[in-house]
Each structure stands twice: as C-alpha cells, then as structure tokens.
Amino acid sequence: MVSVDRRFGSWNRIGTSTKFGASTLEASLAWGFEVDWDGDGVFDGSNETLRVCGLTTKRGRTSMLKSTGEGYESIPTGQAVITLWNDDGRYDAWNSASPLYPNVTRGKEVRIRVRDLTASSETIDNVFYGVITEILPMYGDRPKVNIYVDDGFSRLRNKARVALQTGITVDAAIGAVLDAVNWSTRWGRNLTVSGDTIPYFYGSGDRTAAEECESLANSFLGNFFIGADGSARYITRTTVAASVADFDQSEVSKDIRNPQPWENYRNVVQLKTHVRNSTGSALLYEQFGDAVAVLTTEPLIDFVSLTFNGNSVPALSLDTPVANVDYTINSAANGSGSDVSGSCTVTITRLGDRAKREIVNSSGSTAYVTSFQITGEAIYERNVSDVYYPRDPSTVADPSEFFMDLPWQQNVNTAVSFADLLGPFLAGQHPFPVVEVESNYSKQFPIELFDVVTFTSNKLGIGGRSFRVGAIEHASLDESLQRFKTSFYLEPYIASGDYGEFPFTWGTSTFGW
C-alpha cells in the first residue's frame, strides 16, 4: 500500500486550515490526534497521527438497567487507548532526548477527531476528548506505547458542595454543580434548558460531582453524559430528535446481540421521592465541649455542621450572630476572665449543610470562644414517599422490581406520573440490540450518545424501530486506521408529543417505536 499522510490540517498542523494534508485515493479517513503536551491550554496544531497504529474508545453504558433492578445503570468514565510507534522513545518519560521531555506525563489533554476524505463536505467529527491517565511503553520487536485517556467524568470525581438554591431548573442545578468543581470552560457544557423546577436544591459535599449530576438527571428522567467533544451534556426526558441514522440488517455484522427479554423486564416500579419544607426560624448549631482558642496572629476558620431534629440540613438563610447573645468570647478558657466579644469580628457563611465560621481576634491576646450558636432558616426533609406501579404491588404474582431513588424529585404527583409512565414500558417486551458496523463512516463517527437511530432486522423481527444510543465503542482493525469496527448498544425509549406532560394519558405514547 502506498504510504499515506493520514493527518489533517496544513501538512501536520491541525486547526490552521480546513484543508487536509497529502493523501492518496487509498486513504479515506484523515485523523487528528492532538495532545496539549506543554499544558498551556491550547492545541497548537501538532498532530501525532503518523505514529498512531491503533485506537479503541468506549463511551456510554452497555446496559440501561442495573442487574439488581436498582435504577438506571450509571454511565462510567469513557476511555480511549491510543497505540503509537515509539522507535525513538518519544513517549518515554525517562527519555530526556525526547522532543516532548519533560512533558510526557499524566494529566495532558487529548483531542481525537476524524474526517471522511471521500465526502464532499469538510466536516470534522469529534471522536474523543479527555486527559491522559497512563502512558505504558512496550519494548518488543518494535517499540510501541499505549496512551490511556479518560473523558471528562474523571474531572467530576471531586465532591460537590453547593449552597442551597430555591426554584432552580435542572439544567441550572447541574451547572451549579459543574461550577462547584471548577469545570473547565475549555471543555464546555451543553445543558438543555429544562422545564422542570426544583423547589430546593443543594450540594451536601457527600457525593461526587458526577453522582450529583446523575441524581439530578435521574430525578427527572433525563440523561447526563460527557460528549465526544468533551462537553458536559444534559438532555431532558422530552428531548427526542429525529433519527440521525437508519441501520439495516444488511449493513451491520451478522453477530447481532440482543439480551433475553427477562434481563430488562420489570413488572413493579417503585420510586422514592423526598419532600422538603422550611424549618422556619430555628437553632441550627450550638457549640459544646471545650472553649475554642482564637489567636491574635491568625483568624479562627472552621466549618460547622447545621442540624435540625438531629439531621443535617442546608441553610436557606443564617442570622448575623450577635455578641453576648449568640456567642461569648473570653480572655480565659474557663470563662473567668474578661469578656472580649466586642474586640472580635465574627462572620458566618452558609455552605449547603455546613457554615463557615471565621473569627478575627483583635483583643491583643489569645481569646476563647466559650459559647456559640447559629440560628436561621433551613430546609429539612419532611418525609420520604414511595410510589408504585401498580398501586398495590402485592397483587403481582411474580414481581420483578425496578426501584429508583429520586433525590431531587419533591412532587409526589409527578413521581406517580413517572411510575405510571415507566411501569407499562418496563413491563413490555422490548429489544435491546447491539449492532456492529464496519467501514461505514456516516453510520459510525457522526453519531453521539443518546442520539436516536432506527434499526431494521428481519432476523430479530425488528422493523424500522427507533432506539437511543446507550454506548459507542470504536476499534481500529488495521495499523493505518482506515478500517474501524463500531459497536452500538441500543436502548428502547419512551417518545411521544406529550411525553413528560402530566397527567399522563395512557395510550398516547409510543414505547421505543
């Protein structure tokens, strides 16, 4: 085969031109493998493609439901594995002669894109965006290296603490969580505006940002995921676009997989809702134990938990502490000295279910906080309500339950409508096909997670039915990266003009097709 320059851009540059570099008719795919080696936040056009000899990517969930029946399957961190020739040790962190030295390390951002050279358009499709998590050189007959890249879920592993918000939409709440963990503007966000409003939302800091975003999406039957372009994505339950691809049995591998019907069959639905109310003016914190010392050289800063009836609660508002009413500060630890409360400045800041307490001591000597309380208004979980489909699950002879906790669903009527919607759907016999496509660009790389596609298979008795794409896996079949196999894990979905509009009217929705 003629040697082919498979890079795109101006020669080996990407981003400086929409034109592609040298190629022959034997090449149909032009690739961009960009790494921000110097960490300056800019892809400068450098392209590693000429050294790439293998690529696999995995994004999305391969099963819609958890095998235990406890809710939807979480979307795991996506991963790409890039295999490159490493004859000169370019990708060995120990090699000081490498032109990349000392930047061959973890944490560098990677962007993978591709273009179809046979197409009349110059559209470039995103394949993967993430950060390097591992670099493993392999010194065999010919040196290679595997570079492992994780997508943006790896940036959402920190705990998210968000101050209490009222009357906030789901997309805005997810945005607040992303802000709390400093989600990069470079990665971007694409959050569909939601018509659902959450009466009270806060981030307790007990869950990771990924878990919090997932719980927000699940509470309103939406989906949160990381796009191929690296952006944080949220789509509502009513986001149902036109099909982006039509798959026919003749275009896919004969190895079509379809789980047995009982694997995704559920005939009882249980949804848990969390109704929250205001405490009104209440005591939320009281200091116990030994007096707390406050030096003159630095302020005392600590974080105290806010509770009501023995449970952690987020503050809606906090009263400004008043000296000798809400706190006393003395020159002696046992309170026998002089009252220096007036010589100290006290500030409290609400942070979800905690408050930041800061005390500056200007008395001239070490002082001691002998008593301290915080009052204000908080939001507490008044009760937890479970709703079922059917209403009396004891009437089901052979129950197979689907249970899902909806942490931010605070309307029981909405939860009942969700149960009425999910119950008949999950009790139906729906296919969950896994199809493989090879060397068919338009039906491989332009497709995104949760896009709608149609599939026809006489073998499975599926006639032009619509599915959402739950997971996408790409795998190169040759070292030139011209042949790829793509696996799509398809999920049936609920779609109709009134989907999500309540009360739900049975008989007007189309389940998956």
Side-chain angles (χ1 to χ4, degrees), residues 277-505:
N277 271 343
S278 167
T279 62
S281 181
L283 175 65
L284 303 178
Y285 169 78
E286 187 171 11
Q287 177 179 306
F288 291 100
D290 296 337
V292 180
V294 186
L295 305 178
T296 58
T297 54
E298 60 181 357
L300 166 70
I301 298 177
D302 61 2
F303 298 85
V304 299
S305 297
L306 305 177
T307 61
F308 180 76
N309 289 340
N311 297 310
S312 294
V313 290
L316 185 61
S317 63
L318 296 177
D319 300 326
T320 301
V322 178
N324 296 315
V325 174
D326 296 304
Y327 64 89
T328 55
I329 304 177
N330 199 277
S331 61
N334 61 4
S336 62
S338 303
D339 180 11
V340 295
S341 301
S343 299
C344 297
T345 302
V346 176
T347 305
I348 56 172
T349 305
R350 63 186 181 97
L351 298 171
D353 58 358
R354 294 196 302 175
K356 176 184 176 183
R357 177 174 64 169
E358 182 173 356
I359 302 175
V360 177
N361 177 11
S362 302
S363 69
S365 60
T366 299
Y368 299 88
V369 182
T370 56
S371 68
F372 199 100
Q373 69 175 23
I374 297 176
T375 59
E377 182 181 1
I379 300 303
Y380 73 106
E381 192 168 295
R382 184 173 181 177
N383 55 59
V384 175
S385 298
D386 290 349
V387 299
Y388 287 87
Y389 180 92
R391 293 291 179 270
D392 183 1
S394 66
T395 61
V396 179
D398 187 16
S400 177
E401 186 175 77
F402 173 81
F403 166 80
M404 188 159 67
D405 189 5
L406 310 178
W408 300 111
Q409 183 52 253
Q410 298 165 39
N411 187 312
V412 175
N413 291 328
T414 299
V416 169
S417 295
F418 282 175
D420 288 347
L421 193 66
L422 291 172
F425 172 63
L426 295 176
Q429 300 292 307
H430 303 299
F432 286 75
V434 181
V435 299
E436 296 178 350
V437 181
E438 183 179 330
S439 301
N440 190 339
Y441 185 98
S442 65
K443 296 185 179 181
Q444 289 179 279
F445 298 108
I447 299 173
E448 178 59 283
L449 290 178
F450 297 103
D451 275 353
V452 174
V453 299
T454 59
F455 178 50
T456 299
S457 171
N458 294 330
K459 181 179 180 180
L460 297 181
I462 300 174
R465 296 177 179 178
S466 296
F467 298 87
R468 283 198 189 277
V469 177
I472 303 172
E473 297 177 354
H474 297 300
S476 58
L477 299 176
D478 61 12
E479 293 180 350
S480 66
L481 274 67
Q482 296 303 294
R483 294 176 53 239
F484 268 80
K485 179 177 71 175
T486 302
S487 300
F488 293 102
Y489 293 76
L490 305 183
E491 303 175 354
Y493 66 97
I494 308 173
S496 77
D498 69 343
Y499 175 36
E501 297 178 7
F502 303 105
F504 172 68
T505 303

Side-chain angles (χ1 to χ4, degrees), residues 156-382:
L156 298 177
R157 293 171 183 166
N158 290 332
K159 301 296 180 68
R161 183 172 292 279
V162 180
L164 181 65
Q165 311 284 318
T166 60
I168 187 172
T169 59
V170 179
D171 57 294
I174 291 175
V177 173
L178 296 176
D179 291 340
V181 293
N182 298 315
W183 179 260
S184 172
T185 55
R186 182 183 185 183
W187 290 58
R189 59 185 75 182
N190 183 356
L191 310 176
T192 304
V193 176
S194 172
D196 296 304
T197 300
I198 308 172
Y200 303 108
F201 169 74
Y202 73 102
S204 66
D206 295 331
R207 286 192 285 253
T208 66
E211 292 168 338
E212 199 68 87
C213 289
E214 180 184 80
S215 70
L216 281 162
N218 284 346
S219 293
F220 296 87
L221 305 188
N223 294 107
F224 177 81
F225 61 100
I226 302 298
D229 62 353
S231 63
R233 297 281 307 275
Y234 170 67
I235 59 173
T236 68
R237 64 182 178 278
T238 56
T239 304
V240 182
S243 174
V244 300
D246 299 321
F247 293 107
D248 185 82
Q249 179 177 304
S250 62
E251 300 173 306
V252 303
S253 166
K254 293 182 179 180
D255 184 21
I256 303 172
R257 288 167 281 165
N258 187 30
Q260 292 300 301
W262 54 80
E263 292 187 31
N264 293 290
Y265 170 78
R266 302 290 184 271
N267 57 7
V268 174
V269 170
Q270 178 188 358
L271 303 180
K272 185 181 292 293
T273 63
H274 301 258
V275 180
R276 294 174 169 87
N277 271 343
S278 167
T279 62
S281 181
L283 175 65
L284 303 178
Y285 169 78
E286 187 171 11
Q287 177 179 306
F288 291 100
D290 296 337
V292 180
V294 186
L295 305 178
T296 58
T297 54
E298 60 181 357
L300 166 70
I301 298 177
D302 61 2
F303 298 85
V304 299
S305 297
L306 305 177
T307 61
F308 180 76
N309 289 340
N311 297 310
S312 294
V313 290
L316 185 61
S317 63
L318 296 177
D319 300 326
T320 301
V322 178
N324 296 315
V325 174
D326 296 304
Y327 64 89
T328 55
I329 304 177
N330 199 277
S331 61
N334 61 4
S336 62
S338 303
D339 180 11
V340 295
S341 301
S343 299
C344 297
T345 302
V346 176
T347 305
I348 56 172
T349 305
R350 63 186 181 97
L351 298 171
D353 58 358
R354 294 196 302 175
K356 176 184 176 183
R357 177 174 64 169
E358 182 173 356
I359 302 175
V360 177
N361 177 11
S362 302
S363 69
S365 60
T366 299
Y368 299 88
V369 182
T370 56
S371 68
F372 199 100
Q373 69 175 23
I374 297 176
T375 59
E377 182 181 1
I379 300 303
Y380 73 106
E381 192 168 295
R382 184 173 181 177

Side-chain angles (χ1 to χ4, degrees), residues 46-93:
S46 300
N47 193 343
E48 305 292 332
T49 296
L50 286 182
R51 296 170 176 267
V52 178
C53 56
L55 171 67
T56 61
T57 69
K58 295 181 179 181
R59 298 170 50 241
R61 61 189 182 195
T62 57
S63 176
M64 187 175 81
L65 306 182
K66 292 181 179 179
S67 59
T68 59
E70 296 182 353
Y72 289 118
E73 189 63 72
S74 298
I75 297 177
T77 301
Q79 186 179 74
V81 181
I82 310 167
T83 304
L84 306 97
W85 299 117
N86 195 28
D87 302 272
D88 57 358
R90 175 182 176 86
Y91 307 108
D92 191 329

